[in-house]
Amino acid sequence: MAPDPVAQVAALARAGRQAEAAAAATAALAEGGSATARRLPLLELRCAAFIAQGRFAEAAQDAQAMDVLADRAPARTAWKVRALNAQALAATRLSRNAQAVDLAQQSQALARTLRDAALRGRALLVLAEAQLRAAQPAAAIEAARAAIDICTRA
């Protein structure tokens, strides 16, 4: 049985081998067909690897591709939150701070409709980072505290 490419890419990323993770995700995406459930996690992992390598434009492209695919995903709302988070993080790294705040606010609003505390907390942390970089420290502290509250209650 062939190893799961998503698990392989995730293991490389956890080991700090971001260039290898991005390359493995690229290879898996090239050979994997068009199944949304397979493409979304690979795009998310590659986006994160690109951000870790400073390849922000490529990360933004993957985040945009995630957003398009999320509309067809079985867990549409959760994947839309993850796609918006990825877009916000890429926008932040590209110094598009107002855009990052807007994307993070959209993500956080959608995340509030979910029962997934980890995803709600993550959306708030992304919002806090975007707000901090957009020189909105009070709002960033409020979002970070809300994230802590959600995650400690989960």
Side-chain angles (χ1 to χ4, degrees):
M1 177 188 245
D4 175 29
V6 173
Q8 286 182 317
V9 173
L12 289 167
R14 278 192 306 274
R17 297 163 55 188
Q18 302 302 331
E20 291 174 68
T26 299
L29 286 162
E31 69 186 35
S34 62
T36 300
R38 177 184 163 98
R39 295 184 69 76
L40 277 166
L42 289 168
L43 284 167
E44 184 178 39
L45 287 164
R46 187 171 71 175
C47 178
F50 283 156
I51 287 173
Q53 295 175 80
R55 297 166 63 181
F56 306 135
E58 291 162 289
Q61 290 173 346
D62 277 357
Q64 181 61 41
M66 284 177 66
D67 190 48
V68 171
L69 284 177
D71 288 328
R72 299 192 314 249
R76 181 198 173 283
T77 303
W79 276 110
K80 196 70 166 177
V81 168
R82 292 166 80 155
L84 287 164
N85 281 345
Q87 287 180 296
L89 290 170
T92 297
R93 300 317 186 274
L94 290 165
S95 298
R96 297 178 186 153
N97 295 328
Q99 178 187 20
V101 169
D102 180 56
L103 290 162
Q105 287 172 333
Q106 290 176 50
S107 172
Q108 198 273 327
L110 271 178
R112 278 195 305 249
T113 68
L114 300 172
R115 292 183 183 190
D116 185 337
L119 195 52
R120 289 193 332 264
R122 176 76 175 144
L124 281 163
L125 285 175
V126 170
L127 176 59
E129 180 179 353
Q131 290 169 326
L132 186 62
R133 291 179 186 248
Q136 299 172 12
I141 290 168
E142 183 179 330
R145 285 184 175 149
I148 291 167
D149 185 51
I150 285 171
C151 293
T152 56
R153 284 187 288 138

